[in-house]
Amino acid sequence: KGALVKYGFMVAVSFLVQCVFATYLYYDLPDQYDSEIFCNNNSFLQSSAIGVFLLLMLRNFPQIITQGMIVILAEYYKNSDDSTDVLHNRILRVPRRTVMFVFAVCTEFTAWFAVLTVGCLFILNAESDTLIVRSTVAITFIEQIDEMVFNSCVEAAIRDRVKDTVFLIPGIGGGDSEQAKSRPKAKSFYLLFVTSLSLIIIYSLRFNRFECETWYGRNGTHV
């Protein structure tokens, strides 16, 4: 309850700022795709931009799922300096879990999905190769707003405590999202998956949606 009162405003501000940026970019999109502009842009740059953006965005999805499971299912937690037998009770009633799920998890998923959708559309609608790069940088900035607010507004001691806390989910074990860092094979597969997905997206758009004549693009980088 104390954390919700103390840091709830921070969560609300991050959510609103991301939604405002995403809404502005959405209404700034053209009503229809311009096939000539899309085909003239460098396809390798398009796929690279989409790939980098998806690489940054999709990594957050497992974390959101983990956070949802922690809010709903976690009953115990332990800190990094605790012994293996020390567990702290974390029994919360359903109403409080519901409030936390809606306020923390649902808002983050909504902002994440909005930025993901608008970001892909914004990058694909860029009118030149240079604007593709600028669009990718701008959308990446929006995606990191919540992290910037967290690092700027939360005390270092609280950040370290959050990082070192492991929540235990019955039947699953540790619910710490940091476990993903110890899975090099999963990371390699993730990189291969995102690279393939970005190439498939651009290839499908160029030859199925817009019927472009070439794969590379007719124009070089321009403003």
Side-chain angles (χ1 to χ4, degrees):
K1 183 178 179 180
L4 183 62
V5 173
K6 188 174 183 179
Y7 300 110
F9 180 73
M10 178 191 70
V11 175
V13 168
S14 300
F15 173 72
L16 290 175
V17 169
Q18 286 181 306
C19 288
V20 167
F21 274 110
T23 302
Y24 174 80
L25 293 178
Y26 176 78
Y27 284 107
D28 194 51
L29 292 171
D31 295 332
Q32 294 182 342
Y33 285 104
D34 191 322
S35 59
E36 182 177 357
I37 292 178
F38 183 87
C39 293
N40 285 342
N41 286 333
N42 189 317
S43 58
F44 295 104
L45 183 59
Q46 290 173 326
S47 58
S48 298
I50 288 293
V52 170
F53 180 64
L54 292 177
L55 194 68
L56 294 174
M57 290 298 300
L58 295 182
R59 67 176 182 176
N60 292 336
F61 184 71
Q63 297 177 2
I64 296 175
I65 298 298
T66 301
Q67 291 169 5
M69 295 177 63
I70 289 174
V71 172
I72 296 175
L73 301 175
E75 297 181 358
Y76 302 94
Y77 70 92
K78 63 179 180 179
N79 299 318
S80 59
D81 55 351
D82 293 332
S83 64
T84 56
D85 298 330
V86 175
L87 296 177
H88 303 277
N89 199 327
R90 186 183 179 273
I91 298 179
L92 299 176
R93 295 183 177 180
V94 174
R96 181 173 293 185
R97 288 181 184 268
T98 302
V99 171
M100 292 176 62
F101 183 82
V102 172
F103 191 74
V105 181
C106 290
T107 55
E108 182 172 358
F109 176 79
T110 301
W112 173 83
F113 185 77
V115 173
L116 174 65
T117 304
V118 174
C120 290
L121 294 174
F122 199 70
I123 293 172
L124 294 174
N125 275 279
E127 297 181 354
S128 68
D129 293 345
T130 302
L131 289 179
I132 291 176
V133 178
R134 294 178 181 177
S135 300
T136 306
V137 174
I139 297 297
T140 303
F141 166 77
I142 297 174
E143 185 268 337
Q144 296 176 345
I145 287 178
D146 56 343
E147 296 181 9
M148 290 187 291
V149 173
F150 178 79
N151 292 329
S152 300
C153 300
V154 178
E155 298 88 340
I158 300 297
R159 296 200 304 268
D160 294 338
R161 184 176 178 181
V162 171
K163 183 179 180 180
D164 295 337
T165 300
V166 177
F167 292 92
L168 304 179
I169 301 174
I172 299 178
D176 185 8
S177 59
E178 295 296 321
Q179 289 178 347
K181 295 181 179 180
S182 61
R183 301 173 182 173
K185 291 184 178 180
K187 284 188 173 183
S188 299
F189 174 79
Y190 172 61
L191 179 59
L192 178 62
F193 168 76
V194 172
T195 302
S196 302
L197 180 61
S198 62
L199 290 173
I200 291 173
I201 291 174
I202 299 302
Y203 182 89
S204 299
L205 289 174
R206 292 188 73 88
F207 294 107
N208 295 331
R209 176 68 172 82
F210 298 116
E211 299 181 352
C212 300
E213 297 179 358
T214 63
W215 162 253
Y216 182 79
R218 289 187 288 271
N219 292 340
T221 303
H222 57 281
V223 179

